[in-house]
Amino acid sequence: MSVLPGADRSTAAALHRQYYAQLVNGSTIACVVRMIGADALLASTDPHFNDIPLKLWHQVGPVVPIAMSFTALGDYATVSGLVSVAKTAARQWVDEQTSKNKGTEE
């Protein structure tokens, strides 16, 4: 994915997440949660899950089901691209869990 020249960090991050979100569906999320582990994902304090070993993300990448092919987007799958899909799926799941729990904390 090419980020727009001159885009600030927050814009670039939003575009990155939007791009990889196209490749995520329920099966993607379920695979990531199963392979990385719900506890590890919820315990992560890094916004990019960099406190979870890269080795684990590399194990998920080749087997994670994606919502559409990279070629449908004019792209091709790479190790880093598949890790980005997995981390985007993880972020979606963690965000959903966090929003569910906000209603029960009061």
Side-chain angles (χ1 to χ4, degrees):
M1 180 189 101
S2 175
V3 177
L4 299 173
D8 62 42
R9 276 187 185 256
S10 63
T11 300
L15 290 171
H16 181 270
R17 188 167 176 184
Q18 181 182 6
Y19 177 81
Y20 287 104
Q22 300 173 91
L23 298 160
V24 173
N25 61 20
S27 296
T28 313
I29 293 168
C31 177
V32 170
V33 172
R34 184 177 61 255
M35 291 186 72
I36 299 294
D39 292 341
L41 293 171
L42 292 172
S44 176
T45 58
D46 186 276
H48 307 291
F49 300 109
N50 291 335
D51 50 1
I52 295 172
L54 187 56
K55 177 182 177 180
L56 292 177
W57 295 110
H58 281 181
Q59 291 172 351
V60 174
V63 299
V64 71
I66 57 176
M68 68 172 63
S69 70
F70 277 89
T71 55
L73 299 172
D75 201 352
Y76 55 93
T78 63
V79 172
S80 64
L82 292 168
V83 167
S84 290
V85 171
K87 287 187 174 189
T88 299
R91 175 56 50 212
Q92 289 179 9
W93 184 81
V94 168
D95 288 350
E96 182 181 319
Q97 300 310 303
T98 302
S99 67
K100 281 181 186 177
N101 290 335
K102 281 185 181 177
T104 60
E105 290 178 357
E106 296 180 50

Coordinates of all heavy atoms in Angstrom, one line a residue:
M1 N 0.8 -1.2 0.0 CA 0.0 0.0 0.0 C 0.9 1.2 0.0 O 1.8 1.3 0.8 CB -0.9 0.0 1.3 CG -1.8 1.2 1.3 SD -2.6 1.3 2.9 CE -1.6 2.6 3.6
S2 N 0.6 2.1 -0.9 CA 1.3 3.4 -0.9 C 0.6 4.5 -0.2 O -0.6 4.7 -0.4 CB 1.5 3.8 -2.4 OG 2.1 5.0 -2.5
V3 N 1.3 5.1 0.7 CA 0.6 6.2 1.5 C 0.9 7.5 0.7 O 1.9 7.7 0.1 CB 1.2 6.3 2.9 CG1 0.7 7.4 3.7 CG2 1.0 5.0 3.6
L4 N -0.1 8.4 0.8 CA 0.0 9.7 0.1 C 1.2 10.5 0.6 O 1.5 10.6 1.8 CB -1.3 10.5 0.4 CG -2.6 9.9 -0.1 CD1 -3.7 10.7 0.4 CD2 -2.6 9.7 -1.6
P5 N 2.0 11.0 -0.4 CA 3.2 11.8 0.0 C 2.7 13.0 0.8 O 1.7 13.6 0.5 CB 3.7 12.2 -1.3 CG 3.2 11.3 -2.3 CD 1.9 10.8 -1.8
G6 N 3.4 13.3 1.9 CA 3.1 14.4 2.7 C 2.0 14.2 3.7 O 1.7 15.1 4.5
A7 N 1.4 13.0 3.8 CA 0.4 12.7 4.7 C 1.0 12.6 6.1 O 2.1 12.1 6.3 CB -0.3 11.3 4.4
D8 N 0.3 13.2 7.1 CA 0.8 13.1 8.5 C 0.6 11.7 9.0 O 0.0 10.9 8.4 CB 0.1 14.2 9.4 CG -1.4 14.0 9.5 OD1 -1.8 12.8 9.7 OD2 -2.1 15.0 9.5
R9 N 1.2 11.5 10.2 CA 1.2 10.1 10.8 C -0.2 9.6 11.0 O -0.5 8.5 10.8 CB 2.0 10.1 12.1 CG 3.5 9.9 11.9 CD 4.1 9.7 13.3 NE 5.5 9.7 13.1 CZ 6.2 8.5 13.2 NH1 5.6 7.4 13.5 NH2 7.5 8.6 13.0
S10 N -1.1 10.4 11.5 CA -2.4 10.0 11.9 C -3.2 9.6 10.6 O -3.9 8.7 10.5 CB -3.2 11.0 12.7 OG -3.4 12.2 12.0
T11 N -3.0 10.4 9.5 CA -3.6 10.1 8.3 C -3.1 8.9 7.7 O -3.8 8.0 7.2 CB -3.4 11.3 7.3 OG1 -4.0 12.5 7.8 CG2 -4.1 11.0 5.9
A12 N -1.8 8.7 7.7 CA -1.1 7.5 7.2 C -1.6 6.3 8.0 O -1.9 5.2 7.4 CB 0.4 7.6 7.3
A13 N -1.7 6.4 9.3 CA -2.2 5.2 10.1 C -3.6 4.9 9.8 O -4.0 3.7 9.7 CB -2.0 5.6 11.6
A14 N -4.4 5.9 9.6 CA -5.9 5.7 9.2 C -6.0 5.0 7.9 O -6.8 4.1 7.7 CB -6.6 7.0 9.3
L15 N -5.2 5.5 6.9 CA -5.2 4.8 5.6 C -4.7 3.4 5.6 O -5.3 2.5 4.9 CB -4.4 5.7 4.6 CG -4.9 7.0 4.2 CD1 -3.9 7.8 3.4 CD2 -6.2 6.9 3.4
H16 N -3.7 3.2 6.4 CA -3.2 1.8 6.6 C -4.2 0.9 7.1 O -4.5 -0.2 6.6 CB -1.9 1.8 7.5 CG -1.3 0.5 7.7 ND1 -1.7 -0.3 8.7 CD2 -0.3 -0.1 7.0 CE1 -0.9 -1.4 8.6 NE2 -0.1 -1.3 7.7
R17 N -4.9 1.3 8.2 CA -5.9 0.5 8.8 C -7.1 0.3 7.9 O -7.6 -0.8 7.8 CB -6.4 1.2 10.1 CG -7.3 0.3 10.9 CD -7.4 0.8 12.3 NE -8.4 0.0 13.0 CZ -8.8 0.2 14.2 NH1 -8.3 1.2 14.9 NH2 -9.7 -0.6 14.8
Q18 N -7.5 1.3 7.2 CA -8.6 1.2 6.2 C -8.3 0.2 5.1 O -9.2 -0.6 4.7 CB -8.9 2.6 5.6 CG -10.1 2.7 4.7 CD -10.3 4.0 4.1 OE1 -9.5 5.0 4.3 NE2 -11.3 4.2 3.3
Y19 N -7.1 0.3 4.6 CA -6.7 -0.6 3.5 C -6.8 -2.1 4.0 O -7.4 -2.9 3.3 CB -5.3 -0.3 3.0 CG -4.8 -1.2 2.0 CD1 -5.2 -1.1 0.6 CD2 -4.0 -2.3 2.3 CE1 -4.8 -1.9 -0.4 CE2 -3.6 -3.2 1.3 CZ -4.0 -3.0 0.0 OH -3.6 -3.9 -1.0
Y20 N -6.1 -2.4 5.1 CA -6.1 -3.8 5.5 C -7.4 -4.2 6.1 O -7.7 -5.4 6.1 CB -4.9 -4.0 6.5 CG -3.6 -3.9 5.8 CD1 -2.8 -2.8 5.8 CD2 -3.2 -5.0 5.0 CE1 -1.6 -2.8 5.1 CE2 -2.1 -5.0 4.3 CZ -1.3 -3.9 4.3 OH -0.1 -3.8 3.6
A21 N -8.3 -3.3 6.5 CA -9.6 -3.7 7.0 C -10.5 -4.4 5.9 O -11.3 -5.2 6.2 CB -10.3 -2.5 7.6
Q22 N -10.2 -4.0 4.7 CA -10.9 -4.6 3.5 C -10.7 -6.1 3.5 O -11.5 -6.8 2.9 CB -10.4 -4.0 2.2 CG -10.6 -2.5 2.1 CD -10.0 -2.0 0.8 OE1 -10.6 -2.0 -0.2 NE2 -8.7 -1.7 0.9
L23 N -9.6 -6.6 4.0 CA -9.2 -8.0 3.9 C -9.6 -8.8 5.1 O -9.3 -10.0 5.2 CB -7.6 -8.0 3.7 CG -7.1 -7.4 2.4 CD1 -5.7 -7.0 2.5 CD2 -7.4 -8.2 1.2
V24 N -10.3 -8.1 6.1 CA -10.6 -8.8 7.3 C -12.1 -9.1 7.3 O -13.0 -8.3 6.9 CB -10.3 -7.8 8.5 CG1 -10.9 -8.4 9.8 CG2 -8.8 -7.6 8.6
N25 N -12.5 -10.3 7.8 CA -13.8 -10.7 8.0 C -13.9 -11.5 9.3 O -12.9 -11.6 10.0 CB -14.4 -11.5 6.8 CG -13.7 -12.8 6.5 OD1 -13.0 -13.3 7.4 ND2 -13.9 -13.2 5.3
G26 N -15.0 -12.0 9.7 CA -15.2 -12.8 10.9 C -14.2 -14.0 11.0 O -13.7 -14.3 12.1
S27 N -14.0 -14.6 9.9 CA -13.1 -15.8 9.9 C -11.6 -15.3 10.2 O -10.9 -16.0 10.9 CB -13.1 -16.5 8.6 OG -14.4 -17.1 8.4
T28 N -11.3 -14.2 9.7 CA -9.9 -13.6 9.9 C -9.8 -13.4 11.4 O -8.8 -13.8 12.0 CB -9.7 -12.3 9.1 OG1 -10.2 -12.5 7.8 CG2 -8.3 -11.9 9.1
I29 N -10.7 -12.7 12.0 CA -10.7 -12.3 13.4 C -10.6 -13.6 14.2 O -9.8 -13.7 15.2 CB -11.9 -11.5 13.8 CG1 -11.8 -10.1 13.1 CG2 -12.0 -11.3 15.3 CD1 -13.0 -9.2 13.1
A30 N -11.5 -14.6 14.0 CA -11.5 -15.8 14.7 C -10.2 -16.5 14.7 O -9.7 -17.0 15.7 CB -12.7 -16.7 14.3
C31 N -9.6 -16.6 13.5 CA -8.3 -17.2 13.4 C -7.2 -16.5 14.2 O -6.4 -17.2 14.9 CB -7.9 -17.3 11.9 SG -6.3 -18.0 11.6
V32 N -7.2 -15.2 14.2 CA -6.2 -14.5 14.9 C -6.3 -14.6 16.4 O -5.4 -14.9 17.1 CB -6.2 -13.0 14.5 CG1 -5.3 -12.1 15.4 CG2 -5.8 -12.8 13.1
V33 N -7.6 -14.6 16.9 CA -7.8 -14.7 18.3 C -7.5 -16.1 18.8 O -6.8 -16.3 19.8 CB -9.3 -14.4 18.7 CG1 -9.6 -14.7 20.1 CG2 -9.6 -12.9 18.4
R34 N -7.8 -17.1 17.9 CA -7.4 -18.5 18.3 C -5.9 -18.7 18.3 O -5.4 -19.3 19.2 CB -8.1 -19.5 17.3 CG -7.9 -20.9 17.6 CD -8.6 -21.8 16.6 NE -8.2 -21.7 15.2 CZ -8.9 -21.0 14.3 NH1 -10.1 -20.5 14.5 NH2 -8.4 -20.9 13.1
M35 N -5.2 -18.2 17.4 CA -3.8 -18.4 17.3 C -2.9 -17.6 18.2 O -1.9 -18.0 18.7 CB -3.3 -18.3 15.8 CG -3.9 -19.4 14.9 SD -3.2 -19.4 13.3 CE -1.5 -19.9 13.6
I36 N -3.3 -16.3 18.3 CA -2.5 -15.4 19.2 C -3.0 -15.6 20.7 O -2.2 -15.6 21.6 CB -2.6 -13.9 18.8 CG1 -2.1 -13.8 17.4 CG2 -1.9 -13.0 19.8 CD1 -0.6 -14.0 17.2
G37 N -4.3 -15.7 20.8 CA -4.8 -15.9 22.2 C -5.5 -14.6 22.6 O -5.0 -13.5 22.5
A38 N -6.7 -14.8 23.1 CA -7.5 -13.6 23.6 C -6.8 -12.9 24.7 O -6.8 -11.7 24.7 CB -8.9 -14.1 24.0
D39 N -6.3 -13.7 25.7 CA -5.6 -13.0 26.8 C -4.4 -12.2 26.4 O -4.2 -11.1 26.9 CB -5.1 -14.1 27.8 CG -6.3 -14.8 28.5 OD1 -7.4 -14.2 28.5 OD2 -6.1 -15.9 29.1
A40 N -3.6 -12.7 25.4 CA -2.4 -11.9 24.9 C -2.9 -10.7 24.2 O -2.3 -9.6 24.4 CB -1.6 -12.8 24.0
L41 N -3.9 -10.8 23.4 CA -4.4 -9.6 22.7 C -4.9 -8.5 23.7 O -4.6 -7.3 23.6 CB -5.5 -10.0 21.7 CG -5.0 -10.8 20.5 CD1 -6.2 -11.3 19.7 CD2 -4.0 -10.0 19.7
L42 N -5.7 -9.0 24.7 CA -6.3 -8.0 25.6 C -5.2 -7.4 26.6 O -5.4 -6.3 27.0 CB -7.4 -8.7 26.4 CG -8.7 -9.0 25.6 CD1 -9.6 -9.9 26.5 CD2 -9.3 -7.8 25.1
A43 N -4.2 -8.2 26.8 CA -3.1 -7.7 27.7 C -2.1 -6.8 27.0 O -1.3 -6.1 27.7 CB -2.3 -8.9 28.3
S44 N -2.1 -6.8 25.7 CA -1.2 -6.0 24.9 C -1.4 -4.5 25.3 O -2.5 -4.0 25.3 CB -1.4 -6.2 23.4 OG -0.5 -5.3 22.7
T45 N -0.2 -3.8 25.5 CA -0.3 -2.4 25.8 C 0.3 -1.5 24.7 O 0.3 -0.3 24.8 CB 0.5 -2.1 27.1 OG1 1.9 -2.5 27.0 CG2 -0.1 -2.8 28.3
D46 N 0.7 -2.2 23.6 CA 1.3 -1.5 22.5 C 0.2 -1.3 21.4 O -0.5 -2.3 21.1 CB 2.4 -2.3 21.9 CG 3.1 -1.6 20.8 OD1 2.7 -1.6 19.6 OD2 4.2 -0.9 21.1
P47 N 0.0 -0.1 20.9 CA -1.0 0.1 19.9 C -0.9 -0.7 18.6 O -1.9 -0.9 17.9 CB -0.9 1.6 19.6 CG 0.4 2.0 20.1 CD 0.8 1.1 21.2
H48 N 0.3 -1.2 18.4 CA 0.5 -2.0 17.2 C 0.8 -3.5 17.5 O 1.3 -4.3 16.7 CB 1.7 -1.5 16.4 CG 1.6 0.0 16.1 ND1 0.6 0.5 15.2 CD2 2.2 1.1 16.6 CE1 0.7 1.8 15.2 NE2 1.7 2.2 16.0
F49 N 0.5 -3.9 18.8 CA 0.7 -5.2 19.3 C 2.2 -5.7 19.1 O 2.4 -6.9 19.0 CB -0.2 -6.2 18.5 CG -1.7 -5.9 18.7 CD1 -2.4 -5.5 17.7 CD2 -2.3 -6.2 19.9 CE1 -3.8 -5.2 17.8 CE2 -3.6 -5.9 20.1 CZ -4.4 -5.4 19.0
N50 N 3.1 -4.7 19.2 CA 4.5 -5.1 19.1 C 5.1 -5.7 20.4 O 6.2 -6.2 20.4 CB 5.3 -3.8 18.7 CG 5.0 -3.4 17.3 OD1 4.6 -4.2 16.5 ND2 5.3 -2.1 17.0
D51 N 4.2 -5.8 21.4 CA 4.7 -6.5 22.6 C 4.3 -8.0 22.5 O 4.6 -8.8 23.4 CB 4.1 -5.9 23.9 CG 2.6 -5.6 23.9 OD1 2.0 -5.9 22.9 OD2 2.1 -5.0 24.8
I52 N 3.7 -8.4 21.4 CA 3.4 -9.8 21.1 C 4.5 -10.2 20.1 O 4.7 -9.5 19.1 CB 2.0 -10.0 20.5 CG1 1.0 -9.6 21.6 CG2 1.8 -11.4 20.0 CD1 -0.5 -9.6 21.1
P53 N 5.2 -11.3 20.4 CA 6.4 -11.6 19.5 C 6.0 -11.7 18.1 O 5.0 -12.3 17.7 CB 6.8 -13.0 20.1 CG 6.4 -13.0 21.5 CD 5.1 -12.2 21.5
L54 N 6.9 -11.1 17.2 CA 6.7 -11.1 15.8 C 6.6 -12.6 15.3 O 5.9 -12.8 14.3 CB 7.8 -10.4 15.1 CG 7.7 -10.1 13.6 CD1 6.4 -9.4 13.2 CD2 8.9 -9.4 13.1
K55 N 7.3 -13.5 15.9 CA 7.2 -14.9 15.5 C 5.8 -15.4 15.5 O 5.4 -16.1 14.6 CB 8.1 -15.7 16.5 CG 8.1 -17.2 16.2 CD 8.9 -17.9 17.3 CE 8.8 -19.4 17.0 NZ 9.6 -20.2 18.0
L56 N 5.0 -15.0 16.4 CA 3.6 -15.4 16.5 C 2.8 -14.8 15.3 O 2.0 -15.5 14.7 CB 2.9 -15.0 17.8 CG 3.4 -15.7 19.0 CD1 2.7 -15.2 20.3 CD2 3.1 -17.2 18.9
W57 N 3.1 -13.6 15.0 CA 2.4 -12.9 13.9 C 2.8 -13.6 12.6 O 1.9 -13.8 11.7 CB 2.6 -11.4 13.8 CG 2.1 -10.7 15.0 CD1 2.8 -10.2 16.0 CD2 0.7 -10.5 15.3 NE1 1.9 -9.6 16.9 CE2 0.6 -9.8 16.5 CE3 -0.5 -10.8 14.7 CZ2 -0.6 -9.4 17.1 CZ3 -1.7 -10.4 15.2 CH2 -1.7 -9.7 16.5
H58 N 4.0 -14.0 12.5 CA 4.5 -14.7 11.2 C 3.9 -16.1 11.1 O 3.7 -16.5 10.0 CB 6.0 -14.8 11.3 CG 6.7 -13.5 10.9 ND1 8.1 -13.4 10.8 CD2 6.3 -12.3 10.5 CE1 8.4 -12.2 10.4 NE2 7.3 -11.5 10.3
Q59 N 3.5 -16.7 12.2 CA 2.8 -18.0 12.2 C 1.4 -17.8 11.7 O 0.9 -18.7 11.0 CB 2.9 -18.7 13.5 CG 4.3 -19.1 13.9 CD 4.4 -19.6 15.3 OE1 3.4 -19.5 16.1 NE2 5.5 -20.2 15.7
V60 N 0.8 -16.7 12.1 CA -0.6 -16.5 11.7 C -0.7 -16.1 10.2 O -1.6 -16.6 9.5 CB -1.2 -15.4 12.6 CG1 -2.6 -15.0 12.1 CG2 -1.3 -15.8 14.0
G61 N 0.2 -15.3 9.8 CA 0.1 -14.7 8.4 C -0.2 -15.7 7.3 O -1.2 -15.5 6.5
P62 N 0.5 -16.8 7.2 CA 0.3 -17.7 6.1 C -1.0 -18.5 6.1 O -1.4 -19.0 5.1 CB 1.5 -18.7 6.2 CG 2.5 -18.0 7.0 CD 1.8 -17.1 7.9
V63 N -1.6 -18.6 7.3 CA -2.8 -19.4 7.4 C -4.1 -18.5 7.6 O -5.2 -19.1 7.6 CB -2.7 -20.4 8.5 CG1 -1.6 -21.4 8.2 CG2 -2.5 -19.8 9.9
V64 N -3.9 -17.2 7.8 CA -5.1 -16.4 8.2 C -6.0 -16.3 6.9 O -5.5 -16.0 5.8 CB -4.7 -15.0 8.7 CG1 -4.1 -14.1 7.6 CG2 -5.8 -14.3 9.3
P65 N -7.3 -16.6 7.1 CA -8.2 -16.4 6.0 C -8.5 -14.9 5.7 O -8.7 -14.2 6.7 CB -9.5 -17.2 6.4 CG -9.4 -17.2 7.9 CD -8.0 -17.1 8.3
I66 N -8.5 -14.5 4.5 CA -8.7 -13.1 4.2 C -10.0 -13.0 3.4 O -10.4 -13.9 2.7 CB -7.5 -12.5 3.5 CG1 -7.2 -13.2 2.2 CG2 -6.3 -12.4 4.4 CD1 -6.0 -12.5 1.4
A67 N -10.6 -11.8 3.5 CA -11.9 -11.5 3.0 C -11.9 -11.5 1.5 O -12.9 -11.8 0.8 CB -12.5 -10.2 3.6
M68 N -10.8 -11.0 0.9 CA -10.7 -11.0 -0.6 C -9.2 -11.1 -0.9 O -8.3 -10.9 0.0 CB -11.2 -9.7 -1.1 CG -10.4 -8.4 -0.7 SD -10.9 -6.9 -1.5 CE -12.6 -6.7 -1.0
S69 N -8.9 -11.4 -2.1 CA -7.5 -11.5 -2.4 C -6.8 -10.2 -2.6 O -7.4 -9.2 -2.9 CB -7.3 -12.3 -3.8 OG -7.8 -11.5 -4.8
F70 N -5.5 -10.2 -2.3 CA -4.7 -9.0 -2.5 C -4.8 -8.5 -4.0 O -4.8 -7.4 -4.3 CB -3.3 -9.2 -2.1 CG -3.0 -9.0 -0.7 CD1 -3.1 -10.1 0.2 CD2 -2.6 -7.8 -0.1 CE1 -2.9 -10.0 1.6 CE2 -2.4 -7.7 1.2 CZ -2.5 -8.8 2.1
T71 N -4.9 -9.5 -4.9 CA -4.9 -9.2 -6.3 C -6.2 -8.4 -6.7 O -6.1 -7.6 -7.6 CB -4.7 -10.4 -7.2 OG1 -5.7 -11.4 -6.9 CG2 -3.4 -11.1 -7.1
A72 N -7.2 -8.6 -6.0 CA -8.5 -7.9 -6.2 C -8.3 -6.4 -5.9 O -9.0 -5.5 -6.4 CB -9.6 -8.4 -5.4
L73 N -7.3 -6.1 -5.1 CA -6.9 -4.7 -4.8 C -5.8 -4.2 -5.6 O -5.2 -3.1 -5.3 CB -6.6 -4.6 -3.3 CG -7.7 -5.0 -2.3 CD1 -7.2 -5.0 -0.9 CD2 -8.9 -4.1 -2.5
G74 N -5.3 -5.0 -6.6 CA -4.2 -4.6 -7.4 C -2.9 -4.7 -6.6 O -1.9 -4.0 -6.9
D75 N -2.8 -5.6 -5.7 CA -1.7 -5.8 -4.8 C -1.3 -7.3 -4.8 O -1.9 -8.1 -5.5 CB -2.1 -5.4 -3.4 CG -0.9 -5.0 -2.5 OD1 0.3 -5.2 -2.9 OD2 -1.1 -4.5 -1.4
Y76 N -0.3 -7.7 -4.0 CA 0.0 -9.1 -3.8 C 0.4 -9.3 -2.4 O 0.8 -8.4 -1.7 CB 1.2 -9.5 -4.8 CG 2.4 -8.6 -4.6 CD1 3.5 -9.0 -3.8 CD2 2.6 -7.4 -5.4 CE1 4.6 -8.2 -3.7 CE2 3.7 -6.7 -5.3 CZ 4.7 -7.1 -4.4 OH 5.8 -6.3 -4.3
A77 N 0.2 -10.5 -1.9 CA 0.5 -10.9 -0.5 C 2.0 -10.9 -0.3 O 2.7 -11.5 -1.0 CB -0.2 -12.2 -0.2
T78 N 2.4 -10.3 0.9 CA 3.7 -10.4 1.4 C 3.6 -10.8 2.8 O 2.5 -10.7 3.4 CB 4.5 -9.0 1.3 OG1 3.8 -8.1 2.1 CG2 4.5 -8.5 -0.2
V79 N 4.7 -11.2 3.4 CA 4.7 -11.5 4.8 C 4.3 -10.3 5.6 O 3.4 -10.5 6.5 CB 6.1 -12.0 5.3 CG1 6.2 -12.1 6.8 CG2 6.5 -13.3 4.6
S80 N 4.8 -9.1 5.4 CA 4.4 -8.0 6.1 C 2.9 -7.6 5.9 O 2.2 -7.2 6.8 CB 5.3 -6.8 5.9 OG 5.2 -6.4 4.5
G81 N 2.5 -7.8 4.7 CA 1.0 -7.5 4.4 C 0.1 -8.5 5.1 O -0.9 -8.0 5.7
L82 N 0.5 -9.7 5.2 CA -0.3 -10.7 5.9 C -0.3 -10.4 7.4 O -1.3 -10.6 8.1 CB 0.1 -12.1 5.6 CG -0.2 -12.6 4.2 CD1 0.5 -13.9 3.8 CD2 -1.7 -12.7 3.9
V83 N 0.8 -10.0 8.0 CA 0.9 -9.6 9.4 C 0.0 -8.4 9.6 O -0.7 -8.3 10.6 CB 2.4 -9.3 9.8 CG1 2.5 -8.6 11.1 CG2 3.2 -10.6 9.8
S84 N 0.0 -7.5 8.7 CA -0.8 -6.3 8.8 C -2.3 -6.7 8.8 O -3.1 -6.1 9.6 CB -0.6 -5.3 7.7 OG 0.7 -4.7 7.9
V85 N -2.7 -7.6 8.0 CA -4.1 -8.1 8.0 C -4.4 -8.7 9.4 O -5.4 -8.4 10.0 CB -4.3 -9.2 6.9 CG1 -5.7 -9.8 7.1 CG2 -4.2 -8.6 5.5
A86 N -3.5 -9.5 9.9 CA -3.7 -10.2 11.2 C -3.8 -9.2 12.3 O -4.7 -9.2 13.2 CB -2.6 -11.2 11.5
K87 N -2.9 -8.2 12.3 CA -2.9 -7.1 13.3 C -4.2 -6.2 13.2 O -4.7 -5.8 14.2 CB -1.7 -6.3 13.3 CG -0.4 -7.1 13.8 CD 0.8 -6.1 13.9 CE 1.9 -6.8 14.6 NZ 3.0 -5.9 14.9
T88 N -4.6 -6.0 12.0 CA -5.9 -5.2 11.8 C -7.0 -6.0 12.4 O -7.9 -5.5 13.1 CB -6.1 -4.9 10.3 OG1 -5.0 -4.1 9.9 CG2 -7.4 -4.1 10.1
A89 N -7.1 -7.3 12.1 CA -8.1 -8.2 12.7 C -8.1 -8.1 14.2 O -9.1 -8.0 14.9 CB -8.0 -9.6 12.2
A90 N -6.9 -8.2 14.7 CA -6.7 -8.2 16.2 C -7.2 -6.9 16.8 O -7.9 -6.8 17.8 CB -5.2 -8.4 16.6
R91 N -6.9 -5.8 16.1 CA -7.3 -4.4 16.6 C -8.8 -4.3 16.6 O -9.4 -3.8 17.5 CB -6.7 -3.3 15.7 CG -7.1 -1.9 16.0 CD -6.9 -1.5 17.5 NE -5.6 -1.7 18.0 CZ -5.3 -2.0 19.2 NH1 -6.3 -2.0 20.2 NH2 -4.1 -2.2 19.6
Q92 N -9.4 -4.9 15.5 CA -10.9 -4.8 15.4 C -11.5 -5.6 16.6 O -12.5 -5.2 17.2 CB -11.4 -5.4 14.1 CG -11.1 -4.5 12.9 CD -11.6 -5.1 11.6 OE1 -12.3 -6.1 11.6 NE2 -11.2 -4.4 10.5
W93 N -10.9 -6.8 16.9 CA -11.5 -7.6 18.0 C -11.3 -7.0 19.3 O -12.2 -6.9 20.1 CB -10.8 -9.0 17.9 CG -11.4 -9.9 19.0 CD1 -12.6 -10.6 18.9 CD2 -10.8 -10.2 20.3 NE1 -12.8 -11.3 20.0 CE2 -11.7 -11.1 20.9 CE3 -9.7 -9.8 20.9 CZ2 -11.5 -11.6 22.2 CZ3 -9.5 -10.3 22.2 CH2 -10.4 -11.2 22.8
V94 N -10.1 -6.4 19.6 CA -9.8 -5.8 20.9 C -10.7 -4.6 21.0 O -11.3 -4.3 22.1 CB -8.3 -5.4 21.0 CG1 -8.1 -4.5 22.2 CG2 -7.5 -6.7 21.1
D95 N -10.9 -3.8 20.0 CA -11.8 -2.6 20.1 C -13.2 -3.0 20.4 O -13.9 -2.4 21.2 CB -11.7 -1.8 18.8 CG -10.4 -1.0 18.6 OD1 -9.6 -1.0 19.5 OD2 -10.2 -0.5 17.4
E96 N -13.6 -4.1 19.8 CA -15.0 -4.6 20.0 C -15.1 -5.0 21.5 O -16.1 -4.7 22.2 CB -15.3 -5.7 19.1 CG -16.7 -6.3 19.3 CD -17.1 -7.4 18.4 OE1 -16.7 -7.4 17.2 OE2 -17.7 -8.4 18.8
Q97 N -14.1 -5.8 22.0 CA -14.2 -6.2 23.4 C -14.2 -5.0 24.3 O -14.9 -5.0 25.3 CB -13.0 -7.2 23.7 CG -12.9 -8.4 22.8 CD -14.2 -9.1 22.8 OE1 -14.8 -9.5 23.8 NE2 -14.7 -9.3 21.6
T98 N -13.3 -4.1 24.0 CA -13.2 -2.9 24.9 C -14.6 -2.1 24.9 O -15.0 -1.7 26.0 CB -12.1 -1.9 24.4 OG1 -10.9 -2.7 24.4 CG2 -11.9 -0.7 25.3
S99 N -15.2 -2.0 23.8 CA -16.5 -1.2 23.7 C -17.6 -2.0 24.4 O -18.4 -1.4 25.1 CB -16.9 -0.9 22.3 OG -17.2 -2.0 21.6
K100 N -17.5 -3.4 24.4 CA -18.5 -4.2 25.1 C -18.4 -4.0 26.6 O -19.3 -3.9 27.3 CB -18.3 -5.7 24.7 CG -18.9 -6.1 23.4 CD -18.7 -7.6 23.3 CE -19.1 -8.1 21.9 NZ -18.8 -9.5 21.7
N101 N -17.1 -4.0 27.0 CA -16.8 -3.9 28.5 C -17.1 -2.5 29.1 O -17.3 -2.4 30.3 CB -15.4 -4.3 28.8 CG -15.2 -5.8 28.5 OD1 -16.1 -6.6 28.6 ND2 -14.0 -6.2 28.2
K102 N -17.1 -1.5 28.2 CA -17.3 -0.1 28.8 C -18.7 -0.1 29.4 O -19.0 0.6 30.3 CB -17.2 0.9 27.7 CG -15.8 1.3 27.4 CD -15.6 2.4 26.4 CE -14.2 2.7 26.1 NZ -14.0 3.7 25.1
G103 N -19.7 -0.8 28.8 CA -21.1 -0.8 29.3 C -21.2 -1.5 30.6 O -22.2 -1.3 31.3
T104 N -20.3 -2.4 30.9 CA -20.4 -3.2 32.1 C -19.6 -2.7 33.3 O -19.6 -3.3 34.4 CB -20.1 -4.7 31.8 OG1 -18.7 -4.7 31.4 CG2 -21.0 -5.3 30.8
E105 N -18.8 -1.7 33.1 CA -17.9 -1.3 34.1 C -18.5 -0.4 35.1 O -18.0 -0.1 36.2 CB -16.7 -0.5 33.5 CG -15.7 -1.4 32.7 CD -14.6 -0.7 32.1 OE1 -14.6 0.6 32.1 OE2 -13.8 -1.3 31.5
E106 N -19.7 0.2 34.8 CA -20.3 1.1 35.8 C -21.0 0.5 36.9 O -21.4 -0.5 37.1 CB -21.3 2.0 35.0 CG -20.5 2.9 34.0 CD -21.4 3.8 33.2 OE1 -22.2 4.5 33.8 OE2 -21.3 3.8 32.0

